[in-house]
Short mmCIF file of all heavy atoms in Angstrom, two decimals:
data_model
loop_
_atom_site.label_atom_id
_atom_site.label_comp_id
_atom_site.label_asym_id
_atom_site.label_seq_id
_atom_site.Cartn_x
_atom_site.Cartn_y
_atom_site.Cartn_z
N ALA A 25 0.90 -1.22 0.10
CA ALA A 25 -0.02 -0.05 0.08
C ALA A 25 0.86 1.31 -0.06
O ALA A 25 0.55 2.18 -0.70
CB ALA A 25 -0.91 -0.04 1.10
N ASP A 26 1.89 1.20 0.81
CA ASP A 26 2.88 2.37 0.81
C ASP A 26 3.54 2.57 -0.52
O ASP A 26 3.62 3.79 -0.98
CB ASP A 26 3.91 2.18 2.00
CG ASP A 26 3.36 2.49 3.37
OD1 ASP A 26 2.30 3.00 3.39
OD2 ASP A 26 4.10 1.96 4.25
N GLY A 27 3.87 1.47 -1.28
CA GLY A 27 4.43 1.47 -2.51
C GLY A 27 3.51 2.11 -3.56
O GLY A 27 3.85 2.91 -4.38
N ALA A 28 2.27 1.76 -3.35
CA ALA A 28 1.28 2.19 -4.41
C ALA A 28 0.99 3.66 -4.15
O ALA A 28 0.90 4.50 -5.14
CB ALA A 28 -0.02 1.47 -4.17
N ALA A 29 0.94 4.11 -2.90
CA ALA A 29 0.78 5.59 -2.60
C ALA A 29 1.95 6.40 -3.02
O ALA A 29 1.67 7.46 -3.59
CB ALA A 29 0.82 5.70 -1.06
N VAL A 30 3.20 5.86 -3.01
CA VAL A 30 4.42 6.63 -3.55
C VAL A 30 4.14 6.85 -4.95
O VAL A 30 4.53 7.98 -5.51
CB VAL A 30 5.69 5.92 -3.20
CG1 VAL A 30 6.82 6.45 -3.96
CG2 VAL A 30 6.00 5.98 -1.68
N ARG A 31 3.65 5.84 -5.62
CA ARG A 31 3.45 5.99 -7.14
C ARG A 31 2.32 6.76 -7.54
O ARG A 31 2.29 7.48 -8.54
CB ARG A 31 3.34 4.59 -7.79
CG ARG A 31 4.58 3.64 -7.68
CD ARG A 31 4.47 2.40 -8.40
NE ARG A 31 5.68 1.49 -8.23
CZ ARG A 31 5.71 0.41 -8.93
NH1 ARG A 31 4.71 -0.11 -9.52
NH2 ARG A 31 6.90 -0.19 -8.78
N LEU A 32 1.20 6.84 -6.73
CA LEU A 32 0.00 7.49 -7.14
C LEU A 32 -0.03 8.82 -6.78
O LEU A 32 -0.61 9.69 -7.44
CB LEU A 32 -1.18 6.63 -6.45
CG LEU A 32 -1.53 5.30 -6.79
CD1 LEU A 32 -2.60 4.76 -6.00
CD2 LEU A 32 -2.03 5.41 -8.41
N LEU A 33 0.60 9.26 -5.60
CA LEU A 33 0.50 10.59 -5.11
C LEU A 33 1.58 11.56 -5.74
O LEU A 33 2.79 11.16 -5.71
CB LEU A 33 0.53 10.70 -3.72
CG LEU A 33 -0.54 9.84 -2.89
CD1 LEU A 33 -0.34 9.93 -1.49
CD2 LEU A 33 -1.93 10.46 -3.31
N ARG A 34 1.24 12.67 -6.31
CA ARG A 34 2.22 13.48 -6.88
C ARG A 34 1.96 14.96 -6.38
O ARG A 34 0.76 15.41 -6.20
CB ARG A 34 1.95 13.58 -8.45
CG ARG A 34 2.30 12.25 -9.18
CD ARG A 34 3.90 12.11 -9.19
NE ARG A 34 4.27 10.78 -9.80
CZ ARG A 34 4.40 9.64 -9.13
NH1 ARG A 34 4.17 9.45 -7.87
NH2 ARG A 34 4.61 8.53 -9.89
N GLY A 35 3.05 15.75 -6.11
CA GLY A 35 2.99 17.02 -5.60
C GLY A 35 2.62 17.11 -4.20
O GLY A 35 2.22 16.15 -3.48
N GLN A 36 3.00 18.30 -3.49
CA GLN A 36 2.88 18.53 -2.16
C GLN A 36 1.38 18.34 -1.68
O GLN A 36 1.11 17.92 -0.68
CB GLN A 36 3.41 19.83 -1.78
CG GLN A 36 3.49 20.10 -0.26
CD GLN A 36 4.55 19.19 0.46
OE1 GLN A 36 5.51 18.81 -0.10
NE2 GLN A 36 4.27 18.89 1.74
N GLY A 37 0.51 18.90 -2.50
CA GLY A 37 -0.94 18.75 -2.17
C GLY A 37 -1.46 17.41 -1.90
O GLY A 37 -2.12 17.02 -1.02
N GLU A 38 -1.15 16.51 -2.88
CA GLU A 38 -1.66 15.09 -2.89
C GLU A 38 -0.89 14.34 -1.73
O GLU A 38 -1.59 13.61 -1.16
CB GLU A 38 -1.24 14.40 -4.25
CG GLU A 38 -2.25 14.90 -5.35
CD GLU A 38 -2.15 13.98 -6.52
OE1 GLU A 38 -1.52 13.00 -6.55
OE2 GLU A 38 -2.76 14.26 -7.54
N LEU A 39 0.28 14.68 -1.47
CA LEU A 39 1.14 14.05 -0.30
C LEU A 39 0.52 14.28 0.86
O LEU A 39 0.40 13.43 1.77
CB LEU A 39 2.56 14.39 -0.49
CG LEU A 39 3.46 13.80 -1.58
CD1 LEU A 39 4.88 14.41 -1.51
CD2 LEU A 39 3.54 12.27 -1.33
N GLY A 40 0.07 15.53 1.12
CA GLY A 40 -0.43 16.14 2.39
C GLY A 40 -1.75 15.37 2.60
O GLY A 40 -2.11 14.84 3.67
N LEU A 41 -2.63 15.29 1.52
CA LEU A 41 -3.97 14.65 1.65
C LEU A 41 -3.84 13.14 1.87
O LEU A 41 -4.51 12.42 2.57
CB LEU A 41 -4.81 14.96 0.44
CG LEU A 41 -5.34 16.34 0.24
CD1 LEU A 41 -6.12 16.45 -1.09
CD2 LEU A 41 -6.38 16.64 1.47
N GLY A 42 -2.89 12.59 1.12
CA GLY A 42 -2.53 11.12 1.25
C GLY A 42 -2.14 10.74 2.56
O GLY A 42 -2.48 9.68 3.13
N ASN A 43 -1.18 11.59 3.15
CA ASN A 43 -0.75 11.34 4.67
C ASN A 43 -1.99 11.33 5.53
O ASN A 43 -2.07 10.48 6.51
CB ASN A 43 0.23 12.26 4.88
CG ASN A 43 1.11 11.86 6.23
OD1 ASN A 43 1.43 10.87 6.38
ND2 ASN A 43 1.19 12.75 7.09
N THR A 44 -2.85 12.30 5.46
CA THR A 44 -3.94 12.38 6.32
C THR A 44 -4.90 11.25 6.16
O THR A 44 -5.43 10.54 7.20
CB THR A 44 -4.78 13.58 6.05
OG1 THR A 44 -3.87 14.84 6.25
CG2 THR A 44 -6.06 13.75 6.95
N VAL A 45 -5.10 10.84 4.86
CA VAL A 45 -5.89 9.57 4.68
C VAL A 45 -5.36 8.32 5.26
O VAL A 45 -6.05 7.54 5.82
CB VAL A 45 -6.16 9.52 3.08
CG1 VAL A 45 -6.63 8.07 2.71
CG2 VAL A 45 -7.19 10.46 2.50
N GLN A 46 -4.05 8.18 5.22
CA GLN A 46 -3.34 7.11 5.84
C GLN A 46 -3.64 6.95 7.24
O GLN A 46 -3.99 5.90 7.72
CB GLN A 46 -1.82 7.27 5.49
CG GLN A 46 -1.04 6.15 6.13
CD GLN A 46 0.46 6.36 6.14
OE1 GLN A 46 0.89 7.36 5.72
NE2 GLN A 46 1.28 5.31 6.49
N VAL A 47 -3.41 8.12 7.93
CA VAL A 47 -3.60 8.03 9.48
C VAL A 47 -4.96 7.89 9.82
O VAL A 47 -5.39 6.97 10.60
CB VAL A 47 -2.89 9.36 10.04
CG1 VAL A 47 -3.19 9.33 11.61
CG2 VAL A 47 -1.50 9.36 9.81
N VAL A 48 -5.76 8.75 9.08
CA VAL A 48 -7.28 8.62 9.54
C VAL A 48 -7.92 7.35 9.16
O VAL A 48 -8.73 6.63 9.90
CB VAL A 48 -8.08 9.84 8.84
CG1 VAL A 48 -9.55 9.72 9.11
CG2 VAL A 48 -7.57 11.03 9.49
N GLY A 49 -7.49 6.84 8.00
CA GLY A 49 -8.21 5.53 7.56
C GLY A 49 -7.74 4.37 8.45
O GLY A 49 -8.43 3.59 8.90
N TYR A 50 -6.46 4.41 8.86
CA TYR A 50 -5.95 3.32 9.69
C TYR A 50 -6.68 3.39 11.18
O TYR A 50 -7.05 2.38 11.67
CB TYR A 50 -4.44 3.53 9.93
CG TYR A 50 -3.80 2.44 10.74
CD1 TYR A 50 -3.26 1.29 10.08
CD2 TYR A 50 -3.59 2.51 12.12
CE1 TYR A 50 -2.69 0.25 10.73
CE2 TYR A 50 -2.96 1.43 12.80
CZ TYR A 50 -2.38 0.41 12.17
OH TYR A 50 -1.85 -0.60 12.89
N LYS A 51 -6.80 4.59 11.66
CA LYS A 51 -7.53 4.80 12.92
C LYS A 51 -8.86 4.43 12.87
O LYS A 51 -9.56 3.89 13.85
CB LYS A 51 -7.27 6.18 13.50
CG LYS A 51 -5.92 6.42 13.85
CD LYS A 51 -5.57 7.63 14.51
CE LYS A 51 -4.13 7.83 14.96
NZ LYS A 51 -3.93 9.19 15.60
N ALA A 52 -9.61 4.88 11.65
CA ALA A 52 -11.00 4.43 11.58
C ALA A 52 -11.10 2.91 11.56
O ALA A 52 -12.05 2.32 12.14
CB ALA A 52 -11.55 4.95 10.25
N GLY A 53 -10.22 2.27 11.00
CA GLY A 53 -10.33 0.69 11.05
C GLY A 53 -10.18 0.16 12.35
O GLY A 53 -10.79 -0.77 12.74
N SER A 54 -9.21 0.85 13.12
CA SER A 54 -8.92 0.50 14.55
C SER A 54 -10.21 0.69 15.48
O SER A 54 -10.54 -0.15 16.34
CB SER A 54 -7.85 1.22 15.17
OG SER A 54 -7.60 0.90 16.42
N VAL A 55 -10.98 1.89 15.21
CA VAL A 55 -12.09 2.22 15.90
C VAL A 55 -13.23 1.04 15.51
O VAL A 55 -13.96 0.57 16.41
CB VAL A 55 -12.67 3.57 15.59
CG1 VAL A 55 -14.07 3.84 16.08
CG2 VAL A 55 -11.62 4.68 16.08
N PHE A 56 -13.32 0.81 14.32
CA PHE A 56 -14.34 -0.23 13.91
C PHE A 56 -14.14 -1.57 14.51
O PHE A 56 -15.09 -2.16 15.08
CB PHE A 56 -14.25 -0.44 12.35
CG PHE A 56 -15.00 -1.64 11.78
CD1 PHE A 56 -16.43 -1.51 11.75
CD2 PHE A 56 -14.41 -2.79 11.38
CE1 PHE A 56 -17.21 -2.60 11.45
CE2 PHE A 56 -15.13 -3.87 10.89
CZ PHE A 56 -16.50 -3.77 10.97
N ALA A 57 -12.81 -2.02 14.70
CA ALA A 57 -12.56 -3.25 15.30
C ALA A 57 -12.56 -3.19 16.79
O ALA A 57 -13.12 -4.10 17.43
CB ALA A 57 -11.27 -3.92 14.68
N GLY A 58 -11.90 -2.15 17.30
CA GLY A 58 -11.68 -2.07 18.68
C GLY A 58 -12.80 -1.49 19.57
O GLY A 58 -12.98 -1.63 20.81
N GLY A 59 -13.67 -0.73 18.92
CA GLY A 59 -14.80 -0.08 19.52
C GLY A 59 -16.07 -0.54 19.08
O GLY A 59 -16.87 -1.01 19.90
N GLY A 60 -16.43 -0.51 17.81
CA GLY A 60 -17.74 -0.97 17.38
C GLY A 60 -17.97 -2.44 17.60
O GLY A 60 -18.90 -2.99 17.97
#
């Protein structure tokens, strides 16, 4: 997934959004499993 992200994301704007999606998506999955 990290390798795909490196290839797909271009420019500072996309990198910033991609980094936020990475952290938030991972934590959302953790909330789903650990909380829900």
Side-chain angles (χ1 to χ4, degrees):
D26 287 343
V30 170
R31 293 184 179 182
L32 291 174
L33 301 176
R34 293 289 182 269
Q36 188 65 31
E38 288 193 5
L39 284 174
L41 289 174
N43 190 48
T44 300
V45 165
Q46 175 188 9
V47 176
V48 173
Y50 187 89
K51 290 185 176 181
S54 178
V55 170
F56 168 72

